[in-house]
């Protein structure tokens, strides 16, 4: 055997350029899938378990290549073209790294190989249920559900666990997974990790805090997307996840085993939540991103159930998404099959090249986005931003603007006519020409300090830092952990409509106007 042939026995390459390494244990040599090494731009060379490779190499998981991580943020940050596929690999890697660190330093936890693999698989599969354009799709489903008066909450995590079952059955993976100790019981456990469920056995609660930690918000899903989004957006990322992992330890707190962090990494914990806030303020809530998202949301409403996909089948955005979460049996399989066809590119090109007359307005919206620098091209205008320390319901603002619109039209029209800017027959601005976006920006726990929910340990005890003791930590920490950003947009491109909307915006914040809107009951919709 030549040297080259001997080398290929140990290392081969797949069609994606990933290293394939054979497993050395006798138990795993009979398995068709091998360990793979992926070159990740954030974490470097990462090793992926064969059971994870079996999941990755399926059409349902490969679909995540076509779901962008940050929706429409690439219209502001051109580098933000990364997808849910690479994020899922990153979460899988961090999940394995975290639980292995706990296993190495606390053998008394009795973490088994199967536990490690279940946590890794949960990290890998946690986003299987995301719809096109990620969280924008969730907002669309929420808005459409309210419009249809359906009392149901749609969450992509529910679709993720349904998709996991469908993926395993459709690709006949259960025999392969069983060779690694993953049976029906372990699959149910993986689904609980994905959902962030509360464990039945308190002694194993820490396993539920690695991928989706609903208790403190410190989990590897957030760590990876903070790191990955900052990397692709070109923004600084100041927290050190390696340091957090190294100083993590499991203690029994309030009757269940919980992941606690050494008191010396308190500043690193604050930096995690501070990074989240910075990303929202600098990127996710950028006004151009919000405008683009709102325009696509309007296009979704127009095209849902009217435009056709690549196969010629009519695409039902809301119906298929709801069915993918709520159906059962054969109906669920059909719903998930339909749902898998919904990706960023499919939706975008179906909207852009829609030929049906009833969908033409959606196509015009997409064209306006692509020509946003041209004046009067249909790109929505940003009227103003108001930042409040307290929450104001969107319906109250909508009603307040509806109340002000008649006076605003009269005053602005009079001003424009007297200056010769417009003729008297200009179309008045109505409630459909204005839309409101209410966006809370916080550190992850509403108006609360998220660090209050994190458990720390010292050489002597386990404890939590409470907000009342912030002076002990630093005198420069914020006193408030949430702000409410209220963006007002105008769907019309003409200056007259902008000035009417601006007049409403400036006058609404008068306290008497805001007070009156709480008692209004009209049905205006912005």
């Amino acid at each position: 055997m030549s040297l080259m042939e001997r080398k290929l026995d140990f290392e081969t390459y797949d069609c994606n350029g990933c290293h394939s390494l054979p497993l050395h244990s006798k138990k795993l040599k009979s398995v068709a899938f091998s360990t793979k090494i992926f070159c990740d731009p954030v974490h470097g060379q990462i090793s992926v378990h064969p059971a994870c490779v079996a999941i990755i190499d399926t059409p349902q998981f490969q679909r995540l290549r076509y779901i962008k991580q940050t929706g429409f943020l690439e219209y502001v940050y051109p580098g933000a073209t990364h997808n849910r596929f690479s994020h899922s690999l990153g979460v899988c890697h961090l999940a394995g790294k975290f639980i292995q660190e706990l296993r190495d330093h606390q053998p008394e936890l009795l973490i088994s190989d199967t536990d490690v693999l279940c946590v890794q698989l949960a990290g890998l599969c946690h986003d299987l249920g995301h719809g096109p354009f990620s969280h924008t799709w969730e907002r669309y489903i929420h808005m459409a559900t309210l419009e249809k008066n359906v009392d149901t909450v749609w969450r992509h995590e529910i679709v993720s666990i349904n998709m996991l079952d469908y993926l395993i059955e459709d690709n006949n993976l259960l025999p392969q997974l069983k060779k690694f100790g993953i049976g029906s019981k372990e699959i149910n456990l993986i689904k609980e990790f994905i959902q962030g469920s509360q464990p039945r056995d308190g002694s194993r609660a820490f396993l539920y805090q690695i991928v989706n930690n609903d208790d403190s918000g410190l989990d590897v899903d957030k760590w990876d997307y903070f790191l990955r989004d900052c990397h692709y957006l070109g923004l600084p990322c100041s927290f050190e996840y390696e340091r957090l992992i190294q100083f993590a330890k499991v203690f029994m707190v309030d009757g269940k085993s919980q992941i606690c962090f050494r008191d010396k990494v308190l500043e690193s914990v604050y930096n995690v939540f501070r990074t989240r806030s910075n990303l929202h303020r600098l990127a996710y809530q950028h006004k151009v991103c919000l405008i683009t998202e709102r325009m696509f949301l309007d296009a979704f409403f127009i095209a849902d159930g009217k435009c056709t996909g690549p196969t010629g089948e009519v695409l039902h955005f809301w119906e298929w998404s709801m069915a993918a979460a709520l159906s059962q049996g054969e109906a669920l399989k059909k719903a998930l099959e339909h749902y898998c066809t919904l990706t960023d590119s499919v939706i975008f090109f179906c909207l852009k090249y829609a030929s049906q007359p009833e969908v033409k307005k959606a196509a015009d919206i997409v064209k306006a986005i692509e020509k946003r620098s041209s004046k009067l091209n249909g790109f929505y205008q940003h009227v103003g931003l108001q930042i409040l320390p307290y929450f104001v319901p969107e319906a109250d603002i909508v009603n307040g603007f509806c109340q002000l619109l008649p006076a605003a039209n009269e005053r602005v029209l009079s001003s424009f006519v007297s200056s010769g800017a417009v003729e008297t027959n200009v179309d008045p601005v109505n409630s459909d020409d204005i839309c409101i976006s209410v966006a809370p920006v916080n550190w992850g726990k509403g108006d609360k300090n998220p660090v209050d929910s994190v458990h720390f340990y010292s050489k002597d005890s386990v404890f939590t830092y409470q907000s009342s003791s912030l002076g002990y930590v630093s005198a420069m920490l914020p006193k408030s952990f949430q702000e409410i950003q209220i963006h007002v947009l105008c769907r019309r491109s003409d200056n007259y409509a902008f000035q009417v909307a601006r007049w409403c915006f400036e006058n609404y914040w008068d306290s008497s106007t805001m007070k009156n809107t709480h008692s209004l009951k009209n049905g205006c919709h912005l």
Side-chain angles (χ1 to χ4, degrees):
M1 181 182 292
S2 68
L3 178 63
M4 180 62 71
E5 289 173 329
R6 287 198 300 271
K7 184 175 181 181
L8 289 177
D9 280 343
F10 287 93
E11 183 174 302
T12 57
Y13 294 86
D14 69 2
C15 61
N16 294 321
C18 299
H19 301 277
S20 287
L21 302 180
L23 296 162
H24 299 294
S25 70
K26 294 181 179 179
K27 178 181 178 181
L28 302 181
K29 281 186 177 178
S30 62
V31 179
F33 297 96
S34 60
T35 299
K36 285 191 177 181
I37 308 296
F38 287 83
C39 181
D40 182 73
V42 175
H43 304 296
Q45 304 293 325
I46 61 177
S47 176
V48 180
H49 190 281
C52 297
V53 175
I55 298 288
I56 291 170
D57 291 340
T58 62
Q60 293 81 6
F61 191 90
Q62 292 292 319
R63 168 183 173 271
L64 297 181
R65 292 183 183 273
Y66 314 110
I67 307 291
K68 288 193 178 69
Q69 174 80 8
T70 54
F72 301 105
L73 197 54
E74 65 172 315
Y75 286 89
V76 181
Y77 292 88
T81 57
H82 53 301
N83 52 42
R84 291 281 160 185
F85 181 90
S86 59
H87 166 62
S88 297
L89 291 180
V91 176
C92 175
H93 167 68
L94 290 183
K97 191 172 183 176
F98 199 172
I99 190 170
Q100 192 61 52
E101 187 80 13
L102 294 174
R103 185 187 197 186
D104 292 344
H105 287 86
Q106 292 184 270
E108 68 274 14
L109 296 175
L110 302 178
I111 298 173
S112 66
D113 290 345
T114 302
D115 292 332
V116 173
L117 184 53
C118 284
V119 170
Q120 287 178 302
L121 286 168
L124 183 71
C125 300
H126 78 287
D127 274 349
L128 281 173
H130 259 297
F133 309 105
S134 292
H135 292 292
T136 298
W137 196 255
E138 284 186 291
R139 281 185 274 276
Y140 169 69
I141 299 301
H142 174 70
M143 293 167 65
T145 300
L146 290 177
E147 189 173 90
K148 298 173 186 293
N149 292 317
V150 176
D151 187 20
T152 302
V153 177
W154 188 89
R155 296 171 60 234
H156 78 268
E157 292 89 351
I158 303 299
V159 184
S160 291
I161 64 176
N162 288 341
M163 189 70 75
L164 177 58
D165 286 333
Y166 173 60
L167 178 155
I168 292 171
E169 181 180 349
D170 189 56
N171 297 279
N172 193 29
L173 291 184
L174 193 56
Q176 294 288 348
L177 294 176
K178 282 183 176 180
K179 294 178 182 180
F180 300 104
I182 304 297
S184 298
K185 178 182 176 182
E186 288 72 27
I187 291 171
N188 287 331
L189 186 63
I190 292 167
K191 291 190 286 187
E192 290 179 359
F193 291 163
I194 291 173
Q195 285 189 278
S197 305
Q198 288 299 318
R200 293 177 292 274
D201 181 2
S203 67
R204 310 293 284 168
F206 70 94
L207 294 172
Y208 291 73
Q209 297 181 329
I210 295 174
V211 173
N212 183 3
N213 189 347
D214 195 46
D215 294 320
S216 69
L218 281 178
D219 56 55
V220 296
D221 175 25
K222 296 178 184 63
W223 293 351
D224 183 83
Y225 92 71
F226 294 163
L227 291 163
R228 198 168 298 275
D229 288 2
C230 286
H231 174 83
Y232 282 96
L233 271 60
L235 297 177
C237 188
S238 59
F239 78 91
E240 304 168 294
Y241 79 87
E242 297 99 335
R243 184 169 169 82
L244 293 175
I245 289 176
Q246 289 168 352
F247 286 98
K249 199 171 182 179
V250 175
F251 290 93
M252 289 298 295
V253 182
D254 299 329
K256 64 180 183 179
S257 60
Q258 300 200 47
I259 297 175
C260 306
F261 298 90
R262 182 65 192 272
D263 52 359
K264 65 172 68 178
V265 301
L266 174 62
E267 189 63 31
S268 295
V269 171
Y270 266 107
N271 283 338
V272 174
F273 298 116
R274 191 180 287 114
T275 299
R276 181 190 190 278
S277 175
N278 289 341
L279 279 168
H280 274 274
R281 289 169 56 84
L282 297 174
Y284 306 148
Q285 305 303 329
H286 191 286
K287 65 179 183 180
V288 174
C289 183
L290 289 176
I291 291 172
T292 306
E293 179 182 77
R294 187 58 189 236
M295 293 179 73
F296 270 103
L297 287 171
D298 286 350
F300 294 164
F301 274 104
I302 294 168
D304 192 355
K306 302 183 183 71
C307 67
T308 54
T311 62
E313 187 174 12
V314 176
L315 302 179
H316 298 272
F317 306 158
W318 182 83
E319 181 183 325
W320 289 356
S321 298
M322 295 298 288
L326 304 176
S327 298
Q328 295 180 345
E330 291 300 319
L332 178 59
K333 292 180 186 178
K334 188 64 177 178
L336 290 167
E337 181 182 338
H338 280 138
Y339 190 77
C340 284
T341 66
L342 301 177
T343 63
D344 292 8
S345 55
V346 166
I347 300 298
F348 179 83
F349 288 113
C350 286
L351 293 177
K352 181 176 180 178
Y353 298 111
S355 58
Q356 303 91 330
E358 63 271 27
V359 192
K360 184 179 183 303
K361 190 175 180 180
D364 291 340
I365 289 175
V366 175
K367 292 174 184 175
I369 292 171
E370 294 184 325
K371 299 171 64 177
R372 74 186 196 211
S373 295
S374 303
K375 292 184 178 180
L376 303 179
N377 72 331
F379 192 72
Y380 295 178
Q381 300 185 84
H382 188 270
V383 176
L385 165 65
Q386 184 73 21
I387 297 178
L388 299 176
Y390 53 86
F391 182 78
V392 178
E394 182 177 324
D396 287 354
I397 304 174
V398 168
N399 288 331
F401 271 62
C402 288
Q403 184 184 26
L404 292 170
L405 274 173
N409 274 292
E410 182 180 349
R411 288 171 182 258
V412 175
L413 180 59
S414 176
S415 173
F416 271 51
V417 170
S418 62
S419 64
V422 297
E423 301 293 335
T424 56
N425 61 349
V426 65
D427 291 334
V429 177
N430 57 47
S431 61
D432 290 332
D433 296 323
I434 301 174
C435 51
I436 309 293
S437 171
V438 178
V441 176
N442 54 56
W443 284 35
K445 285 287 184 179
D447 59 355
K448 304 291 191 302
N449 180 356
V451 179
D452 288 352
S453 302
V454 180
H455 294 283
F456 294 88
Y457 69 93
S458 65
K459 293 180 179 179
D460 304 315
S461 63
V462 178
F463 58 92
T464 58
Y465 283 102
Q466 297 301 317
S467 298
S468 58
S469 63
L470 289 181
Y472 168 76
V473 180
S474 172
M476 295 188 293
L477 291 175
K479 303 300 181 184
S480 174
F481 292 89
Q482 176 172 261
E483 66 183 27
I484 307 300
Q485 294 190 0
I486 301 173
H487 294 262
V488 178
L489 311 179
C490 180
R491 288 187 172 97
R492 283 168 50 173
S493 301
D494 58 286
N495 187 41
Y496 170 76
F498 175 84
Q499 294 300 333
V500 171
R502 183 69 192 181
W503 190 94
C504 292
F505 175 82
E506 292 174 347
N507 285 271
Y508 172 75
W509 305 111
D510 174 76
S511 58
S512 61
T513 306
M514 290 185 67
K515 183 177 179 181
N516 289 338
T517 61
H518 287 274
S519 61
L520 291 175
K521 300 295 183 182
N522 68 53
C524 289
H525 171 70
L526 302 184

